[in-house]
Amino acid sequence: MIRKPFVALVVAATLAGCNTSPVEPRRPAAELPAKPAAADIAPAPESLSAARTQLSLMAAENRITNTLTWAGEYLQQERAEDAKQLLAELNPQALNQQQRFQLTLLHGRATLALQNPRETLALLTQEQDNILQYPADQQAQLDLLRADALAMSGQLLDSLQQRVAAHPLLSDKDQEYNHNMIWQLLMQLPATDLAGAIDKSSGDLLGWLTLAQLYRDPIADLDAQVTRLNQWSAQWRTHPAVNDVPVMLEALEKAASQRPSQVAILLPASGPLETVGATLKQGIMTAYYQHKQDNLTPTLRFYDSSGDDILAVYQQAIAEGADFILGPLAKEKAATIASQGTLPVTTLALNYVDEEQPLPDNFFQFGLAPEDEARQIALQGFQQGDTQAGILYPKGDWGQRVAQAFADEWQALGGTVTAWSEYQEGPAIGDTVEELLLVAQSEQRGKAVSRFTNLKVDERPRRRQDLDFLFLIANPDQGRQVKPALNFHYAKDLPVYATSLIYSGMSNPRRDQDLNGIRFVEIPWLLGDENSALHQLTDEQWPEGHGRYERLFAMGIDAYRLQGRLYLLNALPSSEMPGVTGRLRMQQQRIVRELNWAIFSRGEARALPQVSAPATLSSRPGSATTSR
C-alpha cells in the first residue's frame, strides 16, 4: 500500500473515478449509463457555455445522457466546477433510476473534488430514500462516496465504519480501492481514538483496528509483534486484511533478526554543542528505560564526537563491537562519514547532509529539519484549495533556506507566490508588513481615482487581495510583532501558518495573546497527553524539563526507537512510526516528519484535531487546520 497524504489522495481518487487510465491508488470507474450510438454523442465541448448551447438543441433523452457523460469527462479533466454546473441543469425528477444514481454519484464526486464534503453529505442525506431503492452494488458505491466525505470532514472513525460495512458488497476493483483507503485511515487515526474504538467495535472493524494497533506500536518488542501478528492471522482467517499480514510478518521478522545488539551513540560532550548533545542523550536514555523490560534491549555506548577526527571515533566504536551507529550530530561530520563509501554498519546520522551528496546504502538521516515543516505547510495549503501564498521570513541564510523550501514545494504543487519579503526584528517590521500587503498603494489608488470622477469612491486603505494565506517564519518575539502589524494593516482575516519556531514550548498566555489566530505545526510531544506513561517517566527523571531544548529531548526519544525500526521503515514504503517528534516515514534514506497542528487561542497553544496529517481540507470554519 502506497502512502499519500489522505485528503489529497481522496481528491485524486475522486477525480480518477471517471477515468479509464490506471491511477495508483485509484477509485474504480463508476458504471456510466450505456452510451447511445456514436452519432448521438460527441466529446464534451471545451467551454461550459458551448456545452449548454449544444445541450439546449438536443431531445430530452439525449440531453440527459450527454449531460451525464460530459460531466464525467469534465471530472476527468479536473474541471469539477464545470461538471457541477452542468449537472445542475438536470431535473432529478425527470430521470430514471439509473440516471438519478449517476447524477448523485457524479455530483457528489464533483463536490468532493471542490473540497466541499459537507455538501456531499447533505446531498447523500437528501437522496437517502432513493438510494435505498438502488441495487446493492450502487448503494455500496455511494457508501464509498459518503466515506470519502466523512474522512475529509475529519470524521475518520465514521468513515472507517462506513467503508468496512460496504466492503463485502463492492466489486473486486472497488474493494482494492476501499482496502487501501481503510489502511490509510487506520494509519492516521490518533492512537487514543484507535484504542477507544477497539473497546466499542466488533466484527471486521475490530479486526482492522486491532491489526493497525499492533502494527503501529512504536515501543513494542519486535518479537512480541511477530507473535501477535501470527495470533491475529489465526483469529481472523477470513478477514479482508489477512493477505496483507505475510508482508508485514516478513518485514517484522527481518527487522527482528537485524536488530542491533550494541548501539554506539556519537554525541558532542564538550564545545558549543555540549548542551544539545546532553539533551539528546537524556532523551535516548529515557526511551531506553521505557524499553528496558524488553528481552533484547541493546547495549548503549556513548562516544564524544566533539573532536576534529570523527572518523577515528567512528572506527573506535566499530572496533569495540558496535553493530549500529547513532550520530554524529554535526552536519559536516555526518557528511564526512557518508563520503566513505560502503559503511561497515548501519548508521543513522542525527542531521541531514546535502541532498546532492551520494549516500552509502546503509546510511540514513534523522533530524528536526524546519524544511520538512515548510513543505508540510505548503501541502496543507494545496489540500485546502488555496492557490496564492505570501512568505514572510527573517533576514539571513537560515530564514531564506526555509522560505525557499516552502516556495519550491508550493510551486511544484501548482501554487503561486504572490508576495515574498524578509524582515528585520524591531520597529521596521510594521513597515515591512505594510509594504508586503500593498496597503499604501491601495490608498494612493483610491485618492487618484477620486480626483477624476464625480462618483463617491471609498478611499479607505485596504490590503492586497491576492493572498490566500501567509507563510510566516518567526520565533515568538518576532511573531508578537508581526501578527499585530498584520492586524493593524487590515489583514486580521488573513490566515497565517507558521513553523514550530513560533512556539516556545512553554505556556505564556500573557505574552502570547499577540499570537492569537496563528496556526502552526508542532511535534506531538509538546501537544500530547501529559498524563501518558512516557511523560510521567520523563517528569520523574527531569522534573525541571528542558526549556527551549524540549524538542531535542523528544528527538532523542525517537532516535532510540528508530534504531530498532529502521529496517521496517526502509523495507516497507507504506510503513511509518508514530513518534513523539511526528509521524515518521522513510523517503530516500531520510526520516521525514509529519507534525501535528495547533493554534494560538487566548494566548495558549491548543492542539487542533488530528484529521489527516496534517489536517482535512474541508470547510474553512470548523475543520482542524483550515478553519479560519
Side-chain angles (χ1 to χ4, degrees), residues 318-527:
I318 294 171
E320 293 178 357
D323 53 0
F324 189 100
I325 303 289
L326 190 58
L329 174 63
K331 185 185 185 79
E332 66 277 4
K333 293 179 180 179
T336 297
I337 291 174
S339 67
Q340 299 306 300
T342 303
L343 298 175
V345 299
T346 298
T347 300
L348 177 62
L350 298 177
N351 208 327
Y352 298 100
V353 303
D354 293 334
E355 294 185 10
E356 296 78 15
Q357 181 175 348
L359 302 176
D361 290 341
N362 58 348
F363 180 89
F364 303 92
Q365 307 156 81
F366 171 55
L368 304 182
E371 292 89 344
D372 284 347
E373 301 178 21
R375 285 185 278 266
Q376 180 177 334
I377 294 169
L379 180 61
Q380 171 63 26
F382 164 75
Q383 289 177 343
Q384 68 191 31
D386 292 333
T387 59
Q388 298 175 311
I391 304 174
L392 188 59
Y393 65 95
K395 187 173 183 178
D397 292 343
W398 181 88
Q400 187 169 17
R401 189 176 76 244
V402 179
Q404 191 66 55
F406 171 87
D408 290 346
E409 182 75 7
W410 181 242
Q411 291 167 343
L413 291 166
T416 301
V417 178
T418 54
W420 176 301
S421 185
E422 63 180 15
Y423 66 86
Q424 287 185 310
E425 193 169 351
I429 281 186
D431 294 337
T432 301
V433 169
E434 184 180 18
E435 291 171 7
L436 177 79
L437 298 173
L438 301 180
V439 173
Q441 288 89 325
S442 76
E443 189 174 14
Q444 291 166 4
R445 283 195 300 271
K447 291 179 178 178
V449 170
S450 67
R451 292 192 191 105
F452 299 102
T453 179
N454 293 324
L455 298 175
K456 290 186 178 181
V457 177
D458 185 356
E459 297 182 14
R460 289 176 299 178
R462 54 178 53 85
R463 70 168 177 88
R464 64 193 304 161
Q465 296 300 306
D466 58 348
L467 289 176
D468 294 318
F469 68 93
L470 178 68
F471 172 56
L472 174 64
I473 306 169
N475 63 32
D477 288 335
Q478 294 163 338
R480 294 180 192 118
Q481 298 177 69
V482 170
K483 188 60 169 76
L486 289 167
N487 296 346
F488 179 78
H489 291 296
Y490 315 99
K492 188 173 183 178
D493 63 332
L494 179 65
V496 179
Y497 299 146
T499 67
S500 62
L501 181 67
I502 197 73
Y503 181 42
S504 68
M506 296 174 285
S507 177
N508 194 345
R510 185 181 64 82
R511 298 195 66 199
D512 288 344
Q513 292 283 346
D514 286 335
L515 300 177
N516 284 347
I518 295 179
R519 283 164 169 75
F520 62 100
V521 290
E522 187 53 273
I523 66 172
W525 180 252
L526 291 179
L527 299 174

Side-chain angles (χ1 to χ4, degrees), residues 226-277:
V226 170
T227 300
R228 288 167 61 199
L229 265 178
N230 278 314
Q231 292 171 344
W232 188 95
S233 297
Q235 180 181 356
W236 299 93
R237 294 179 188 278
T238 60
H239 193 275
V242 74
N243 292 331
D244 293 332
V245 174
V247 178
M248 298 180 194
L249 275 171
E250 181 181 356
L252 279 169
E253 288 170 346
K254 189 71 178 290
S257 69
Q258 295 194 357
R259 176 175 38 205
S261 59
Q262 181 172 312
V263 178
I265 303 164
L266 282 52
L267 291 173
S270 60
L273 295 177
E274 178 181 358
T275 302
V276 174

Side-chain angles (χ1 to χ4, degrees), residues 133-314:
Q133 307 304 315
Y134 297 156
D137 61 329
Q138 292 183 350
Q139 290 189 40
Q141 286 197 52
L142 294 174
D143 283 343
L144 290 192
L145 185 67
R146 189 189 308 274
D148 286 344
L150 287 167
M152 291 175 68
S153 298
Q155 302 173 67
L156 301 193
L157 189 56
D158 290 339
S159 179
L160 272 171
Q161 292 170 336
Q162 186 82 60
R163 291 188 186 284
V164 173
H167 197 80
L169 303 175
L170 301 173
S171 67
D172 289 345
K173 289 183 178 180
D174 279 323
Q175 283 191 345
E176 182 181 356
Y177 164 80
N178 194 46
H179 186 111
N180 180 77
M181 300 304 280
I182 287 173
W183 194 250
Q184 295 290 334
L185 283 166
L186 288 166
M187 292 299 100
Q188 300 187 38
L189 196 67
T192 52
D193 292 353
L194 182 61
I198 287 174
D199 294 335
K200 302 174 184 177
S201 301
S202 59
D204 280 353
L205 178 60
L206 178 60
W208 279 110
L209 292 166
T210 53
L211 176 63
Q213 187 182 55
L214 72 89
Y215 179 72
R216 285 176 45 172
D217 189 347
I219 64 173
D221 174 75
L222 289 169
D223 294 317
Q225 268 187 298
V226 170
T227 300
R228 288 167 61 199
L229 265 178
N230 278 314
Q231 292 171 344
W232 188 95
S233 297
Q235 180 181 356
W236 299 93
R237 294 179 188 278
T238 60
H239 193 275
V242 74
N243 292 331
D244 293 332
V245 174
V247 178
M248 298 180 194
L249 275 171
E250 181 181 356
L252 279 169
E253 288 170 346
K254 189 71 178 290
S257 69
Q258 295 194 357
R259 176 175 38 205
S261 59
Q262 181 172 312
V263 178
I265 303 164
L266 282 52
L267 291 173
S270 60
L273 295 177
E274 178 181 358
T275 302
V276 174
T279 306
L280 284 166
K281 180 177 180 179
Q282 291 169 5
I284 290 168
M285 293 307 299
T286 299
Y288 173 80
Y289 289 128
Q290 188 188 31
H291 287 254
K292 198 70 167 62
Q293 69 274 14
D294 296 348
N295 295 327
L296 297 173
T297 304
T299 300
L300 305 185
R301 300 190 68 171
F302 288 87
Y303 295 82
D304 184 4
S305 64
S306 56
D308 294 333
D309 193 350
I310 189 61
L311 291 179
V313 178
Y314 187 84

Side-chain angles (χ1 to χ4, degrees), residues 72-91:
E73 290 183 30
Y74 286 154
L75 277 176
Q76 288 181 34
Q77 298 165 15
E78 301 187 11
R79 296 170 58 187
E81 182 60 41
D82 286 349
K84 182 183 175 184
Q85 290 191 35
L86 202 62
L87 293 169
E89 305 284 330
L90 293 176
N91 176 10

